[in-house]
Amino acid sequence: MTTIDFITDLFCRIDDAMRAVPKHPQAQLWPSEIVTLGILHALKGVGNRAFYRWLSRDYHALFPRLPERTRLFRSFAAHRWWTLRLMAEPTLLGVIDSYGIELIHPIREGRSPRQIGRKGISNHRWIVGYQLCWLVNQWGGIVGWLRAPAPVHDTLFQPLIEVFKDRMMILGDTGFHAREGDPPNLKVCPRRTWNDRMLIETVYSMLTLISHTKKMMHRVVDYLEARLAFTVAAFNLLIQWDGLKPEPDGFIPLSIAEFNL
């Protein structure tokens, strides 16, 4: 499948999900075009200028009404909530975990008064950035997510667990256990127990390699949140591109490597 074929197919799938969203009379792009471009940016995993240069140079014919770069990314930030239409459905069992995103090198902390993110530890190393928490269903689809500045404890993400207290039993590590009490649907799993939790580690590793989510260059919270929202939508679409195909033992392999741009 060529890149043009992939972008065309991606647009058609998104357009089916966005039929109920009207186009603003003064907008240059249709809602499905904005979401498609946002997902391509998340999948490409590069900075704003590099992505826009690649898009306008090689695929301008697919988006002839492509706006100027800064206007396009403002559209991503303004309409990031459209990605909620592409969230995965809850299942009886789910897994939750957090993931550190580095925005600047720790030695540069405090140099700018507009710095977003704070210093914290992720994977046994210092970063200055944000902590991303994803909740996935038993098939690997992303059901919900939250983000917070880096040094927060995982218990801050308990409200995401409580949202699904009547629909999901959620597996989490001991970092999600709070002294004051836990949501009734949280199953705290000590180390080396419940290997089902490794599913979310697979999800995070795929995004690290394909979308380069471990390091981002955003300097405004709204644009960072837009990038994360479109990354979630991209992952949910791509893992079920050809349908979820279980193996004889019931295991469903996940892969998005073939969509690397």
Side-chain angles (χ1 to χ4, degrees):
M1 179 169 57
T2 66
T3 303
I4 291 179
D5 291 338
F6 166 66
I7 295 175
T8 304
D9 197 348
L10 178 67
F11 170 79
C12 293
R13 294 171 188 242
I14 294 172
D15 192 52
D16 289 340
M18 302 289 295
R19 290 184 182 276
V21 181
K23 178 180 179 292
H24 191 280
Q26 296 179 338
Q28 296 185 33
L29 298 174
W30 286 83
S32 49
E33 290 182 293
I34 294 175
V35 175
T36 301
L37 290 169
I39 287 177
L40 289 176
H41 176 232
L43 187 58
K44 187 70 173 172
V46 296
N48 296 358
R49 287 180 172 83
F51 169 75
Y52 191 84
R53 184 169 58 250
W54 168 80
L55 182 68
S56 58
R57 180 193 63 209
D58 298 340
Y59 302 105
H60 191 273
L62 298 178
F63 304 95
R65 296 179 62 84
L66 186 69
E68 186 267 336
R69 176 180 59 84
T70 57
R71 184 172 182 179
L72 175 65
F73 284 92
R74 285 198 301 269
S75 297
F76 292 166
H79 302 299
R80 59 188 184 274
W81 307 115
W82 285 343
T83 59
L84 294 176
R85 295 175 174 269
L86 301 172
M87 299 297 287
E89 291 295 327
T91 56
L92 181 61
L93 190 67
V95 186
I96 193 169
D97 203 358
S98 60
Y99 175 90
I101 298 173
E102 183 177 346
L103 298 178
I104 59 173
H105 193 279
I107 203 171
R108 300 185 63 189
E109 182 192 19
R111 293 190 181 185
S112 172
R114 297 185 297 173
Q115 173 188 312
I116 63 173
R118 290 180 290 174
K119 182 181 285 187
I121 295 178
S122 174
N123 292 338
H124 308 288
R125 62 185 293 268
W126 288 100
I127 66 169
V128 175
Y130 267 75
Q131 201 79 0
L132 173 65
C133 180
W134 278 4
L135 171 62
V136 302
N137 61 24
Q138 66 188 62
W139 315 122
I142 302 166
V143 176
W145 63 278
L146 288 174
R147 51 95 185 151
V152 301
H153 196 268
D154 284 343
T155 53
L156 181 71
F157 301 118
Q158 283 195 356
L160 180 58
I161 302 174
E162 293 176 351
V163 169
F164 299 94
K165 63 183 179 181
D166 298 325
R167 290 182 285 175
M168 299 181 73
M169 177 59 67
I170 298 172
L171 307 179
D173 59 29
T174 53
F176 288 89
H177 171 63
R179 183 179 303 175
E180 298 78 12
D182 299 324
N185 59 327
L186 172 63
K187 170 65 177 177
V188 178
C189 305
R191 186 183 293 271
R192 296 190 177 91
T193 63
W194 286 86
N195 288 337
D196 306 75
R197 291 189 299 114
M198 293 304 295
L199 172 65
I200 198 167
E201 298 296 340
T202 302
V203 171
Y204 282 141
S205 66
M206 285 191 288
L207 291 170
T208 300
L209 293 173
I210 303 301
S211 296
H212 311 290
T213 49
K214 202 64 179 174
K215 290 187 178 182
M216 297 186 183
M217 295 176 286
H218 301 284
R219 299 293 181 261
V220 179
V221 173
D222 286 349
Y223 291 89
L224 173 64
E225 193 167 80
R227 169 77 176 274
L228 296 176
F230 286 112
T231 300
V232 168
F235 184 80
N236 283 339
L237 281 171
L238 298 181
I239 61 170
Q240 53 184 340
W241 191 267
D242 296 317
L244 298 175
K245 301 176 180 179
E247 295 180 347
D249 60 355
F251 174 73
I252 298 179
L254 300 178
S255 177
I256 60 173
E258 62 183 297
F259 303 105
N260 189 0
L261 297 176

